[in-house]
Amino acid sequence: MPGNGIKIAVQELDLYYKDLQALYKVNLNIVVNRVTALIGPSGCGKSTFLRALNRMNDLIEGVRVKGKVLLDGYDIYQPGVDVVNLRKRVGMVFQRANPFPMSVYDNVAYGPRIHGEKNKRRLDEIVEKSLCDAALWGEVQDRLYRSALGLSGGQQQRVCIARLLAVKPEVLLMDEPTSALDPLATLKIEELIKDLKDKYTIVIVTHNMQQAARVSDTTAFFLNGEMVEYGETGVIFTKPVDRRTEDYITGRFG
């Protein structure tokens, strides 16, 4: 990893959906063990940018990318990259909780099993540790073998986070992870994000600017596919350089 603490370096990134350009010359350094928030109005490119960091956009027909996304100095878009391994290292939590229709235990053990772990005791340890790290163990330890679909929305989202942690990622991408949750469940996820940054590099898309201010260390403001401004969250929210950033943060549009 580069010695300057940069986990992901994005350089001159353009992204197209067939003929439609969705991102324009994005340059952004994502620092290790920090929370980076991506803010901006709907359709501004922030979720597209997030998905570019682990090539989830590859699943959409007609997507083309120019520029570089360097993970620990290696371009994830160069030929021959193992995309499965990339998504293990750079995992994603989606807007709506999407636990598999199986038990809590099997949800969390799913990834390690796919990657070849068969030892039951080892799987037990991974499941317990991942649920502890997702701040969920105390709530589900008595119902590990019941369906995860029977949990509350907030608990289901934390099962999805535990499922991600079980494969030992380095970067967590979160696409509006609390937008479908009530305020109490949202608070638990926000506290979890703050705890997890000691071990992981986190990038979160949020439409909630108060949330960005609460959980992130740095913030990037996107507008019409461009990254307008990026910096320390406190500075972005109190002394933005670009008038468009100020207009968005103060509610003049968006």
Side-chain angles (χ1 to χ4, degrees):
M1 187 177 69
N4 52 8
I6 295 168
K7 185 67 180 175
I8 300 176
V10 180
Q11 300 173 351
E12 298 290 298
L13 183 69
D14 291 323
L15 186 141
Y16 302 82
Y17 294 115
K18 295 186 176 170
D19 295 330
L20 174 71
Q21 188 165 358
L23 294 174
Y24 296 83
K25 297 275 180 285
V26 178
N27 291 282
L28 177 62
N29 288 332
I30 293 165
V31 179
V32 70
N33 295 125
R34 303 194 87 192
V35 179
T36 299
L38 310 178
I39 64 169
S42 294
C44 68
K46 54 191 187 293
S47 288
T48 294
F49 175 77
L50 188 78
R51 292 194 301 266
L53 301 180
N54 72 346
R55 293 183 53 170
M56 287 294 281
N57 293 316
D58 288 17
L59 304 172
I60 302 167
E61 189 180 349
V63 165
R64 290 182 293 120
V65 169
K66 294 180 182 175
K68 292 182 176 180
V69 177
L70 305 175
L71 174 64
D72 291 341
Y74 297 97
D75 186 4
I76 68 170
Y77 283 95
Q78 66 189 353
V81 167
D82 182 341
V83 179
V84 173
N85 185 57
L86 169 65
R87 293 184 191 141
K88 179 174 179 279
R89 295 178 65 194
V90 185
M92 182 170 281
V93 176
F94 296 93
Q95 190 168 352
R96 295 199 169 270
N98 59 342
F100 301 139
M102 53 180 71
S103 71
V104 173
Y105 183 100
D106 286 338
N107 262 277
V108 182
Y110 184 87
R113 282 173 172 152
I114 288 285
H115 291 287
E117 184 59 71
K118 295 184 172 64
N119 184 294
K120 176 69 165 66
R121 202 178 87 185
R122 182 76 193 109
L123 286 169
D124 289 349
E125 290 170 357
I126 292 169
V127 169
E128 180 173 348
K129 183 175 189 318
S130 301
L131 288 168
C132 284
D133 287 350
L136 192 59
W137 176 253
E139 296 169 47
V140 300
Q141 60 180 321
D142 297 330
R143 50 163 304 153
L144 287 177
Y145 299 101
R146 284 188 253 163
S147 173
L149 300 179
L151 298 172
S152 72
Q155 288 173 324
Q156 287 188 24
Q157 190 63 296
R158 281 182 284 149
V159 166
C160 295
I161 292 170
R163 188 174 69 198
L164 187 57
L165 300 183
V167 297
K168 296 193 170 78
E170 299 160 38
V171 181
L172 309 181
L173 307 179
M174 298 185 166
D175 194 357
E176 300 198 20
T178 65
S179 64
L181 304 180
D182 63 60
L184 192 60
T186 294
L187 181 63
K188 286 190 174 181
I189 298 283
E190 287 183 3
E191 288 172 348
L192 177 58
I193 289 168
K194 291 176 192 170
D195 290 340
L196 289 173
K197 79 173 181 182
D198 290 340
K199 297 179 185 173
Y200 307 95
T201 302
I202 300 172
V203 187
I204 178 172
V205 166
T206 179
H207 65 284
N208 181 330
M209 278 183 289
Q210 289 79 20
Q211 181 172 77
R214 285 192 298 263
V215 305
S216 71
D217 301 293
T218 53
T219 296
F221 170 55
F222 281 75
L223 185 64
N224 299 328
E226 292 181 46
M227 194 197 70
V228 173
E229 190 167 348
Y230 173 59
E232 296 289 325
T233 294
V235 175
I236 292 287
F237 277 87
T238 58
K239 295 179 184 171
V241 174
D242 194 290
R243 177 66 186 267
R244 292 169 295 174
T245 312
E246 183 178 351
D247 286 350
Y248 179 70
I249 285 170
T250 55
R252 291 196 184 97
F253 73 94

